[in-house]
Amino acid sequence: MNGFILDVNGKNCTDIDPCEGDDHGCQHICVNNDGGFECQCFSDGYLLDGDGKTCNDINECDDDTDGCEHNCTNTDGSFYCSCDGGFTLDTNGKNCTDINECDDDTDDCEQICTY
């Protein structure tokens, strides 16, 4: 039977863990199972390729799963949101809040600043 080795007693079989060596070919994570193995990717930002071993980056910005209110930048295995000028990124990392430049004294107005 593939994936097992016969014990010295000649009666029982022991699972061979292919993940212990480098022969498994998984790009990210190798998970041993009974008589074989499977490859997995580091995070939800990757998708296991059809070859069962390679992990491909998911571009969350292209498939509209990012939830960014203004701008999305894809990174390897993840993404981040940013805001247009005059806005600041909320603590949730996705929504943008308008900055009141008059209150922040960043308006550069010589006279009266109106928000």
Side-chain angles (χ1 to χ4, degrees):
M1 191 188 266
N2 246 354
F4 294 93
I5 190 168
L6 189 63
D7 285 343
V8 290
N9 66 12
K11 296 180 181 180
N12 299 322
C13 293
T14 302
D15 177 46
I16 299 171
D17 185 355
C19 298
E20 288 181 1
D22 291 330
D23 297 336
H24 50 76
C26 297
Q27 184 179 8
H28 287 183
I29 301 168
C30 179
V31 178
N32 184 46
N33 57 34
D34 204 18
F37 71 96
E38 69 177 14
C39 298
Q40 296 178 353
C41 300
F42 289 140
S43 69
D44 292 338
Y46 295 96
L47 183 63
L48 192 62
D49 194 54
D51 67 4
K53 296 181 179 194
T54 307
C55 295
N56 297 311
D57 176 56
I58 297 171
N59 188 336
E60 296 86 355
C61 301
D62 280 349
D63 63 13
D64 290 330
T65 59
D66 56 77
C68 297
E69 187 174 1
H70 285 188
N71 307 304
C72 178
T73 302
N74 189 58
T75 62
D76 191 26
S78 189
F79 69 96
Y80 65 88
C81 301
S82 60
C83 301
D84 295 334
F87 291 84
T88 185
L89 192 63
D90 290 349
T91 56
N92 69 7
K94 296 182 184 255
N95 295 330
C96 298
T97 300
D98 189 15
I99 297 170
N100 184 339
E101 290 86 354
C102 297
D103 288 345
D104 291 348
D105 288 329
T106 58
D107 54 76
D108 292 330
C109 293
E110 290 181 19
Q111 301 296 320
I112 298 171
C113 181
T114 307
Y115 178 70

